[in-house]
Amino acid sequence: MSMRSHFCGLLTTAQLEQTVTVCGWVNTRRDHGGVIFIDVRDKEGIVQAVFNPDQDTMFKLAGTLRNEFCIKVVGRVVKRDDKLINPKLKTGEIEIVAQELEILNASITPPFQLDEENLSETTRLTHRVLDLRRPQMQHNMKLRYKTAMAIRKFLDANDFIDIETPMLTKSTPEGARDYLVPSRVHDGQFFALPQSPQLFKQMLMVAGFDRYYQIVKCFRDEDLRADRQPEFTQVDIETSFMSEEDIRGVFEGMIRGVFKEVLDVELANPFPVMTYADAMALYGSDKPDLRVNLQFTELTDVMKNVEFKVFNSAANLEDGRVVALRVPNGAELSRSEIDAYTQFVGIYGAKGLAYIKINEIEKGRDGLQSPIVKNIDDATLTEVLNRTGAQNGDIIFFGADRAKIVNDAIGALRIKVGHEKGHASKDWQPLWVIDFPMFEYDDEAKRYVACHHPFTAPKDGHEDHLSTNPALCTAKAYDMVLNGWEIGGGSVRIHREEVQSKVFRALNIGAEEAQEKFGFLLDALQYGAPPHGGIAFGLDRIVTMMAGAESIRDVIAFPKTQRAQCLLTQAPSPVDEKQLRELHIRLRNNPAQLAEVKRDEA
């Protein structure tokens, strides 16, 4: 039987004159003219309890209460005076007149008040248990649970079954560094924590399970940022006998249903679809934020013969690009704002930020304000104005460099200017990006690498390019983008061993290396593997967006810092010599171990 009769935050006028028992934490304590008011908080919210001095023993005990004491209160629910109703609380119309008080556990003075704003992340993560008591964090964790449950219900209704895959597995090259786990039993050998269940879910398709899913932890030892963690949660899905379009249709429906159920938000139906080539051409990004209604204008061809060296040198590079970004009403930008934007694009490698302000377009070059106008001929200026559709009061920003720098810098500028200067909507803008290149060339390694992963199938008819010109291969890959965040990505997989072997050769993975690293998959594909494909969604990212949080750390109960540390438990941490010896591990430059080695040698 429960210690309480009601949750604090669920009491209403329906309980008037009833005797109730609530349990929770002291949120605030106020002493007003001999009457003590205690706000009691639990997972459902807050209710005010009133302690009167006519009950001397209980009143004195109430006087000892401090924030975060865990207490039990028995009392009568009464209606507040109309003048004292608190519209900010769900329980603001009522209060509990206390009859009994029990301190279940005292609390030392908390390091911060739960209603404090602008707490440092270090403080929050060091004292994460208290941080999780805050209403916003309670809301985020409940939102995460509801989202996961909505996903599970959809997948269950569509005949997907949840199958667990191993956490200790083989180290395979999948793009990021593996977290390695030394084997105590097998000297000098290691397991890896999975970057994803990719290979296992493909083998489950070969095994005939047809529709699989798992909400699973994945691990990548990579540099961190706001939307990355060394361990993250993935909604991992695979299905057999479905085309790209079939898969997109099913999971677009899933995300649409989840947003409707959890947030009561209607997403576009159907989601717009854009090719990778168009996304890069118009937005410089394969995950464009469609809330921002600004686009690139291609000028590379126009600038090949212009006198302005910054433009013509970029336009004539093999991988060069020149684009314009027209910002309506941008001519009102001050010099200091333009300078700030110039510094901003410098973060992405841009050497500067050329611009033209359109004051009076009908006056030709005399109506333009810019340090670069004198370096551009009339015909080119006219073409720039025509292509961009410039109007009086606009500003045109230019990017000219290698394509990657232009895309990154002007793409980021588009987002920043769009949101800061009112060129962005406040709604939800989903998008499918399709037809990704299958490979990209790594100049440092002097070989092709997979854009997604090496198990992605090429478009029909592109198999021959694998051996002749891998750069021409387009993949049966697709990403779901929402408001500029990639929330899910997947592909149709290679289900024939001979095609998979061709892809490995294109990646400069020889037959021996392929057999050593992926032999179990290659062998499985020879047993009548069905056509199959799937997708994986980042649960942390989806919930972060739903919660309006700044970082995925705000929707993970016990996250790591950007340095991959847990400040609560102080992990990672040293382990004792006995554990290291059992694992056959010797640390370099460890004084204790070096001394032990010398003793052994003596």
Side-chain angles (χ1 to χ4, degrees):
M1 184 174 177
S2 176
M3 294 176 66
R4 59 188 162 206
S5 64
H6 294 79
F7 287 105
C8 297
L10 299 183
L11 289 169
T12 67
T13 53
Q15 284 81 42
L16 285 177
E17 300 306 321
Q18 292 182 22
T19 297
V20 299
T21 303
V22 296
C23 297
W25 290 269
V26 174
N27 195 66
T28 56
R29 171 185 171 275
R30 303 179 302 281
D31 192 335
H32 290 174
V35 178
I36 296 175
F37 297 91
I38 301 292
D39 284 347
V40 188
R41 183 190 72 249
D42 64 14
K43 75 182 186 73
E44 297 294 344
I46 290 171
V47 68
Q48 178 173 279
V50 182
F51 295 83
N52 293 305
D54 54 0
Q55 297 194 42
D56 184 60
T57 302
M58 184 182 67
F59 187 77
K60 287 179 180 176
L61 186 61
T64 68
L65 296 179
R66 295 293 181 268
N67 283 13
E68 301 312 312
F69 274 41
C70 187
I71 63 173
K72 173 181 173 182
V73 177
V74 180
R76 182 168 54 91
V77 178
V78 302
K79 196 172 190 314
R80 292 196 198 188
D81 186 283
D82 288 344
K83 295 179 181 178
L84 299 177
I85 289 175
N86 184 351
K88 295 180 181 179
L89 289 180
K90 289 190 295 183
T91 60
E93 290 186 81
I94 56 99
E95 60 191 12
I96 299 172
V97 177
Q99 298 166 345
E100 298 176 29
L101 169 65
E102 181 181 351
I103 298 176
L104 300 174
N105 208 343
S107 171
I108 61 174
T109 302
F112 54 84
Q113 298 301 314
L114 269 60
D115 59 357
E116 278 186 50
E117 297 182 1
N118 302 319
L119 286 168
S120 75
E121 189 170 70
T122 298
T123 299
R124 290 180 56 204
L125 295 184
T126 301
H127 305 281
R128 188 61 162 184
V129 174
L130 289 178
D131 185 46
L132 286 170
R133 286 186 186 175
R134 297 190 304 124
Q136 184 60 51
M137 293 303 296
Q138 294 268 316
H139 166 78
N140 290 355
M141 292 301 111
K142 290 177 186 176
L143 184 68
R144 184 185 179 102
Y145 166 74
K146 290 176 182 176
T147 302
M149 282 303 297
I151 289 170
R152 287 188 185 279
K153 284 192 291 184
F154 176 91
L155 293 170
D156 182 66
N158 284 273
D159 296 327
F160 287 82
I161 63 171
D162 185 348
I163 304 177
E164 292 183 347
T165 53
M167 280 295 165
L168 295 175
T169 183
K170 183 180 179 66
S171 178
T172 58
E174 292 187 45
R177 285 183 295 271
D178 285 327
Y179 276 100
L180 298 177
V181 181
S183 169
R184 180 185 61 81
V185 177
H186 302 283
D187 186 1
Q189 298 188 43
F190 295 80
F191 294 105
L193 300 181
Q195 294 185 32
S196 79
Q198 180 63 47
L199 301 179
F200 287 104
K201 69 180 181 179
Q202 287 191 246
M203 288 188 289
L204 286 170
M205 294 302 102
V206 181
F209 285 97
D210 199 83
R211 294 191 171 195
Y212 139 97
Y213 86 96
Q214 193 179 182
I215 298 181
V216 61
K217 284 286 187 187
C218 300
F219 306 86
R220 291 179 186 173
D221 185 6
E222 59 189 352
D223 295 333
L224 306 180
R225 59 180 186 232
D227 58 346
R228 283 182 178 172
Q229 281 280 290
E231 52 180 321
F232 57 95
T233 303
Q234 187 167 290
V235 183
D236 196 55
I237 303 164
E238 197 79 3
T239 183
S240 295
F241 305 111
M242 291 179 74
S243 68
E244 289 178 74
E245 293 78 11
D246 293 335
I247 294 170
R248 292 206 314 265
V250 170
F251 296 107
E252 176 180 317
M254 183 184 84
I255 293 299
R256 193 182 297 112
V258 168
F259 270 74
K260 178 61 178 174
E261 180 175 339
V262 177
L263 294 185
D264 196 25
V265 164
E266 298 273 4
L267 295 180
N269 186 10
F271 290 2
V273 179
M274 182 181 297
T275 65
Y276 169 87
D278 285 346
M280 298 305 293
L282 294 174
Y283 306 106
S285 171
D286 61 2
K287 46 182 181 295
D289 185 348
L290 295 189
R291 293 173 300 172
V292 178
N293 58 15
L294 307 176
Q295 294 183 351
F296 288 7
T297 300
E298 187 63 56
L299 296 175
T300 308
D301 59 319
V302 180
M303 297 298 178
K304 286 186 180 292
N305 298 311
V306 76
E307 288 186 12
F308 190 35
K309 186 176 179 182
V310 171
F311 287 176
N312 72 38
S313 61
N316 286 290
L317 283 172
E318 185 178 350
D319 61 345
R321 189 177 191 195
V322 182
V323 302
L325 181 72
R326 179 176 74 90
V327 181
N329 305 313
E332 64 191 27
L333 289 173
S334 67
R335 181 68 212 188
S336 62
E337 287 179 300
I338 293 173
D339 288 345
Y341 288 140
T342 303
Q343 283 189 306
F344 174 75
V345 297
I347 297 170
Y348 300 89
K351 301 177 185 68
L353 183 62
Y355 69 91
I356 297 176
K357 286 187 176 184
I358 316 299
N359 294 331
E360 295 180 73
I361 198 168
E362 58 277 4
K363 289 186 176 180
R365 69 170 56 244
D366 293 334
L368 308 178
Q369 180 184 345
S370 166
I372 68 167
V373 166
K374 62 181 181 292
N375 299 312
I376 302 177
D377 60 86
D378 289 343
T380 302
L381 276 177
T382 300
E383 184 67 13
V384 168
L385 297 176
N386 287 340
R387 285 198 186 188
T388 59
Q391 303 292 321
N392 287 341
D394 295 348
I395 191 170
I396 302 173
F397 289 114
F398 296 89
D401 210 309
R402 296 190 182 278
K404 184 179 188 318
I405 292 175
V406 170
N407 291 338
D408 291 349
I410 306 303
L413 180 67
R414 170 185 169 269
I415 301 299
K416 185 174 178 65
V417 172
H419 285 287
E420 289 181 352
K421 299 301 177 182
H423 300 292
S425 64
K426 302 293 184 184
D427 56 353
W428 296 92
Q429 290 285 346
L431 171 71
W432 284 108
V433 179
I434 64 169
D435 293 353
F436 284 82
M438 194 160 172
F439 306 101
E440 59 186 355
Y441 194 75
D442 186 330
D443 288 322
E444 189 174 325
K446 303 297 182 188
R447 65 182 182 87
Y448 285 101
V449 295
C451 288
H452 275 61
H453 55 61
F455 318 109
T456 300
K459 288 279 189 183
D460 295 340
H462 285 217
E463 291 93 339
D464 290 343
H465 298 320
L466 292 170
S467 54
T468 58
N469 189 352
L472 298 178
C473 285
T474 299
K476 291 183 178 179
Y478 34 81
D479 282 358
M480 185 185 290
V481 177
L482 184 61
N483 292 3
W485 284 39
E486 178 202 331
I487 61 170
S491 65
V492 170
R493 323 302 185 188
I494 297 166
H495 68 283
R496 300 200 314 272
E497 186 274 337
E498 68 271 18
V499 177
Q500 185 65 75
S501 294
K502 281 185 179 181
V503 170
F504 285 149
R505 285 195 293 273
L507 293 169
N508 202 27
I509 297 174
E512 187 175 331
E513 182 184 0
Q515 190 62 38
E516 179 189 345
K517 292 178 176 176
F518 306 107
F520 53 93
L521 175 65
L522 295 173
D523 291 346
L525 293 179
Q526 297 180 79
Y527 291 100
H532 60 282
I535 192 166
F537 291 94
L539 181 66
D540 309 301
R541 289 188 182 184
I542 292 172
V543 179
T544 299
M545 298 186 75
M546 286 180 155
E550 293 184 3
S551 163
I552 63 172
R553 290 187 289 278
D554 285 336
V555 300
I556 298 172
F558 300 105
K560 308 294 189 292
T561 67
Q562 286 195 339
R563 298 188 64 199
Q565 293 174 301
C566 175
L567 299 183
L568 177 68
T569 63
Q570 298 299 305
S573 60
V575 297
D576 62 40
E577 296 296 328
K578 180 174 182 293
Q579 289 174 283
L580 291 173
R581 283 197 303 273
E582 287 176 340
L583 294 170
H584 320 289
I585 289 176
R586 180 182 298 165
L587 301 181
R588 291 182 177 181
N589 303 322
N590 182 303
Q593 283 199 342
L594 290 174
E596 186 174 330
V597 170
K598 288 179 180 178
R599 284 197 301 272
D600 290 343
E601 290 174 349

